[in-house]
Coordinates of all heavy atoms in Angstrom, one line a residue:
D74 N 0.8 -1.2 0.0 CA 0.0 0.0 0.0 C 0.9 1.3 0.0 O 0.5 2.3 -0.6 CB -0.9 0.0 1.2 CG -2.0 -1.0 1.1 OD1 -2.2 -1.6 0.0 OD2 -2.7 -1.2 2.1
E75 N 2.0 1.2 0.7 CA 2.8 2.4 0.8 C 3.7 2.6 -0.5 O 3.8 3.7 -1.0 CB 3.8 2.3 2.0 CG 4.6 3.5 2.2 CD 5.4 3.5 3.4 OE1 5.2 2.7 4.3 OE2 6.3 4.3 3.6
Y76 N 4.2 1.5 -1.1 CA 5.1 1.6 -2.2 C 4.5 1.3 -3.5 O 5.2 1.5 -4.6 CB 6.4 0.7 -1.9 CG 7.2 1.3 -0.7 CD1 7.0 0.7 0.5 CD2 8.0 2.3 -0.9 CE1 7.7 1.2 1.6 CE2 8.8 2.8 0.2 CZ 8.6 2.2 1.5 OH 9.3 2.7 2.5
L77 N 3.4 0.6 -3.6 CA 2.7 0.3 -4.8 C 3.6 -0.4 -5.8 O 4.2 -1.4 -5.5 CB 1.9 1.5 -5.3 CG 0.8 2.1 -4.4 CD1 0.3 3.4 -5.0 CD2 -0.3 1.1 -4.2
E78 N 3.6 0.2 -7.0 CA 4.4 -0.4 -8.1 C 5.9 -0.3 -8.0 O 6.6 -0.8 -8.8 CB 3.9 0.1 -9.4 CG 2.4 -0.3 -9.7 CD 2.1 -1.8 -9.5 OE1 2.8 -2.6 -10.0 OE2 1.1 -2.0 -8.8
A79 N 6.4 0.3 -6.9 CA 7.8 0.4 -6.7 C 8.3 -0.9 -6.1 O 9.6 -1.1 -6.0 CB 8.2 1.6 -5.7
V80 N 7.4 -1.8 -5.7 CA 7.8 -3.1 -5.2 C 7.2 -4.2 -6.1 O 6.3 -3.9 -6.9 CB 7.3 -3.4 -3.8 CG1 8.0 -2.4 -2.8 CG2 5.8 -3.3 -3.6
Q81 N 7.8 -5.4 -6.1 CA 7.2 -6.5 -6.8 C 6.4 -7.4 -5.8 O 6.9 -7.5 -4.7 CB 8.3 -7.4 -7.4 CG 9.2 -6.7 -8.4 CD 10.2 -7.6 -8.9 OE1 10.0 -8.5 -9.8 NE2 11.4 -7.6 -8.3
V82 N 5.4 -8.0 -6.3 CA 4.6 -8.9 -5.5 C 4.7 -10.3 -6.1 O 4.2 -10.5 -7.3 CB 3.2 -8.5 -5.3 CG1 2.4 -9.5 -4.5 CG2 3.1 -7.1 -4.6
A83 N 5.2 -11.3 -5.4 CA 5.3 -12.7 -5.9 C 3.9 -13.3 -6.1 O 3.0 -13.1 -5.3 CB 6.1 -13.5 -5.0
A84 N 3.7 -14.1 -7.1 CA 2.5 -14.9 -7.3 C 2.3 -15.8 -6.1 O 3.2 -16.2 -5.5 CB 2.6 -15.7 -8.6
P85 N 1.0 -16.0 -5.7 CA 0.7 -16.7 -4.5 C 0.8 -18.2 -4.7 O -0.2 -19.0 -4.6 CB -0.7 -16.3 -4.2 CG -1.3 -16.0 -5.5 CD -0.2 -15.4 -6.3
I86 N 2.0 -18.7 -4.9 CA 2.2 -20.1 -5.2 C 2.9 -20.9 -4.0 O 3.0 -22.1 -4.0 CB 3.1 -20.3 -6.5 CG1 4.5 -19.7 -6.3 CG2 2.3 -19.8 -7.7 CD1 5.4 -20.0 -7.5
F87 N 3.3 -20.1 -3.0 CA 4.1 -20.7 -1.9 C 3.2 -21.0 -0.7 O 2.3 -20.3 -0.4 CB 5.2 -19.8 -1.5 CG 6.2 -19.5 -2.6 CD1 6.1 -18.3 -3.3 CD2 7.1 -20.4 -3.0 CE1 7.0 -18.0 -4.3 CE2 8.0 -20.2 -4.0 CZ 7.9 -18.9 -4.7
R88 N 3.6 -22.0 0.1 CA 3.1 -22.3 1.4 C 4.1 -22.1 2.4 O 5.3 -22.2 2.2 CB 2.6 -23.8 1.4 CG 1.5 -24.1 0.5 CD 1.0 -25.5 0.6 NE 0.7 -25.9 1.9 CZ 0.6 -27.2 2.4 NH1 0.7 -28.2 1.5 NH2 0.4 -27.5 3.6
D89 N 3.6 -21.8 3.6 CA 4.5 -21.5 4.8 C 4.8 -22.8 5.5 O 3.9 -23.6 5.8 CB 3.9 -20.6 5.8 CG 3.9 -19.1 5.3 OD1 5.0 -18.6 5.0 OD2 2.8 -18.5 5.2
Y90 N 6.1 -23.1 5.8 CA 6.5 -24.3 6.5 C 7.3 -24.1 7.7 O 7.4 -25.0 8.6 CB 7.2 -25.3 5.5 CG 6.3 -25.8 4.4 CD1 6.4 -25.3 3.1 CD2 5.4 -26.8 4.7 CE1 5.6 -25.8 2.1 CE2 4.6 -27.3 3.6 CZ 4.7 -26.8 2.4 OH 3.9 -27.2 1.4
G91 N 8.0 -23.0 7.8 CA 8.9 -22.7 8.9 C 8.3 -22.3 10.2 O 7.1 -22.1 10.3
G92 N 9.1 -22.2 11.2 CA 8.6 -21.8 12.5 C 8.3 -20.3 12.5 O 7.6 -19.8 13.5
R93 N 8.7 -19.6 11.6 CA 8.4 -18.1 11.4 C 7.7 -17.9 10.1 O 8.1 -18.4 9.1 CB 9.7 -17.3 11.3 CG 10.3 -16.9 12.5 CD 11.3 -15.8 12.2 NE 12.7 -16.2 12.5 CZ 13.8 -15.6 12.1 NH1 13.7 -14.6 11.3 NH2 14.9 -16.1 12.4
Q94 N 6.5 -17.3 10.2 CA 5.8 -16.9 8.9 C 6.2 -15.6 8.4 O 6.1 -15.3 7.2 CB 4.3 -17.0 9.2 CG 3.8 -18.4 9.3 CD 2.3 -18.5 9.2 OE1 1.6 -17.7 9.8 NE2 1.8 -19.5 8.5
R95 N 6.7 -14.7 9.3 CA 7.1 -13.3 8.9 C 8.6 -13.2 9.0 O 9.2 -13.5 10.0 CB 6.5 -12.4 9.9 CG 6.6 -10.9 9.5 CD 5.9 -10.0 10.5 NE 4.6 -10.5 10.8 CZ 3.5 -9.9 10.3 NH1 3.6 -8.8 9.6 NH2 2.3 -10.4 10.5
F96 N 9.2 -12.9 7.8 CA 10.7 -12.8 7.8 C 11.1 -11.8 6.7 O 10.3 -11.6 5.7 CB 11.4 -14.1 7.7 CG 11.0 -14.9 6.4 CD1 11.8 -14.9 5.3 CD2 9.9 -15.7 6.4 CE1 11.5 -15.6 4.2 CE2 9.6 -16.5 5.3 CZ 10.4 -16.4 4.1
C97 N 12.3 -11.3 6.8 CA 12.7 -10.3 5.8 C 14.3 -10.3 5.8 O 14.9 -10.7 6.8 CB 12.2 -8.9 6.0 SG 12.7 -8.1 7.5
G98 N 14.8 -9.9 4.7 CA 16.3 -9.7 4.6 C 16.7 -9.5 3.2 O 16.0 -9.5 2.3
Q99 N 18.1 -9.3 3.1 CA 18.7 -9.1 1.8 C 18.8 -10.5 1.1 O 19.1 -11.5 1.7 CB 20.1 -8.5 2.0 CG 20.6 -7.9 0.8 CD 21.8 -7.0 1.1 OE1 22.5 -7.1 2.1 NE2 22.0 -6.0 0.2
I100 N 18.5 -10.4 -0.2 CA 18.4 -11.7 -1.0 C 19.8 -12.2 -1.4 O 20.6 -11.5 -1.8 CB 17.6 -11.4 -2.3 CG1 16.1 -11.1 -1.9 CG2 17.7 -12.6 -3.2 CD1 15.3 -10.7 -3.1
V101 N 19.9 -13.5 -1.1 CA 21.1 -14.3 -1.7 C 20.4 -15.3 -2.6 O 19.5 -16.0 -2.2 CB 21.9 -15.0 -0.5 CG1 22.9 -15.9 -1.1 CG2 22.4 -13.9 0.4
T102 N 20.9 -15.5 -3.8 CA 20.3 -16.4 -4.7 C 21.1 -17.7 -5.0 O 22.3 -17.7 -4.9 CB 20.0 -15.7 -6.1 OG1 21.2 -15.3 -6.7 CG2 19.1 -14.5 -5.9
L103 N 20.3 -18.7 -5.3 CA 20.9 -20.0 -5.7 C 20.0 -20.6 -6.7 O 18.8 -20.7 -6.5 CB 21.0 -20.9 -4.5 CG 21.2 -22.4 -4.7 CD1 22.5 -22.6 -5.4 CD2 21.1 -23.1 -3.4
K104 N 20.6 -21.1 -7.8 CA 19.8 -21.9 -8.8 C 20.4 -23.3 -8.8 O 21.6 -23.5 -9.0 CB 20.0 -21.3 -10.2 CG 19.2 -22.0 -11.3 CD 19.2 -21.2 -12.6 CE 18.4 -21.9 -13.6 NZ 16.9 -21.7 -13.4
A105 N 19.6 -24.3 -8.5 CA 20.0 -25.7 -8.4 C 18.8 -26.6 -8.7 O 17.8 -26.4 -8.1 CB 20.6 -26.0 -7.1
L106 N 19.0 -27.6 -9.5 CA 18.0 -28.5 -9.8 C 18.2 -29.9 -9.1 O 19.2 -30.6 -9.4 CB 17.9 -28.8 -11.4 CG 16.8 -29.8 -11.8 CD1 15.4 -29.2 -11.5 CD2 17.0 -30.0 -13.3
E107 N 17.4 -30.2 -8.2 CA 17.4 -31.5 -7.5 C 18.7 -31.8 -6.9 O 19.1 -33.0 -6.8 CB 16.9 -32.6 -8.5 CG 15.5 -32.3 -9.0 CD 15.0 -33.2 -10.0 OE1 15.7 -34.2 -10.4 OE2 13.8 -33.0 -10.5
D108 N 19.4 -30.8 -6.4 CA 20.7 -31.0 -5.7 C 20.8 -29.9 -4.7 O 20.8 -28.7 -5.0 CB 21.8 -30.9 -6.7 CG 23.2 -31.1 -6.1 OD1 23.3 -31.1 -4.9 OD2 24.2 -31.3 -6.9
N109 N 20.9 -30.3 -3.4 CA 20.9 -29.2 -2.4 C 22.3 -29.0 -1.8 O 22.5 -28.4 -0.7 CB 19.9 -29.5 -1.3 CG 20.2 -30.8 -0.5 OD1 21.2 -31.4 -0.7 ND2 19.4 -31.0 0.5
S110 N 23.3 -29.4 -2.5 CA 24.7 -29.2 -2.0 C 25.0 -27.8 -1.8 O 25.6 -27.4 -0.7 CB 25.7 -29.8 -3.1 OG 25.5 -31.1 -3.4
Y111 N 24.6 -26.9 -2.7 CA 24.9 -25.5 -2.5 C 24.0 -24.8 -1.5 O 24.4 -23.8 -0.9 CB 24.8 -24.8 -3.9 CG 26.0 -24.9 -4.8 CD1 26.6 -26.2 -5.1 CD2 26.6 -23.8 -5.4 CE1 27.7 -26.3 -5.9 CE2 27.8 -24.0 -6.2 CZ 28.3 -25.2 -6.4 OH 29.4 -25.4 -7.2
L112 N 22.8 -25.3 -1.3 CA 21.9 -24.8 -0.3 C 22.6 -25.1 1.1 O 22.7 -24.2 1.9 CB 20.6 -25.5 -0.4 CG 19.5 -24.9 0.5 CD1 18.1 -25.2 -0.2 CD2 19.5 -25.4 1.9
K113 N 23.1 -26.3 1.3 CA 23.8 -26.6 2.5 C 25.0 -25.7 2.7 O 25.2 -25.1 3.8 CB 24.3 -28.0 2.5 CG 25.0 -28.5 3.8 CD 25.3 -29.9 3.8 CE 25.8 -30.4 5.1 NZ 27.2 -30.2 5.3
A114 N 25.8 -25.5 1.7 CA 27.0 -24.6 1.8 C 26.6 -23.2 2.1 O 27.2 -22.5 2.9 CB 27.8 -24.6 0.5
S115 N 25.5 -22.7 1.5 CA 25.0 -21.4 1.8 C 24.6 -21.3 3.3 O 24.9 -20.3 4.0 CB 23.8 -21.0 1.0 OG 24.2 -20.9 -0.4

């Protein structure tokens, strides 16, 4: 409501699974197909 089109809004395709539903931070990205080796390293 405050920033309108200055922000992007993700399509509602995700479900919440963690112990926290509200979280924020600076983005670190990873692209990996069916291999979580780099996720663990991150």
Side-chain angles (χ1 to χ4, degrees):
D74 289 350
E75 182 173 348
Y76 294 97
L77 299 173
E78 298 308 313
V80 296
Q81 299 179 82
V82 177
I86 60 174
F87 302 101
R88 292 182 53 197
D89 285 304
Y90 293 102
R93 271 196 246 167
Q94 287 190 317
R95 186 179 312 253
F96 59 96
C97 65
Q99 197 164 26
I100 294 173
V101 175
T102 63
L103 164 62
K104 184 175 184 71
L106 179 63
E107 300 174 2
D108 180 348
N109 66 0
S110 305
Y111 279 52
L112 192 154
K113 181 176 188 273
S115 295

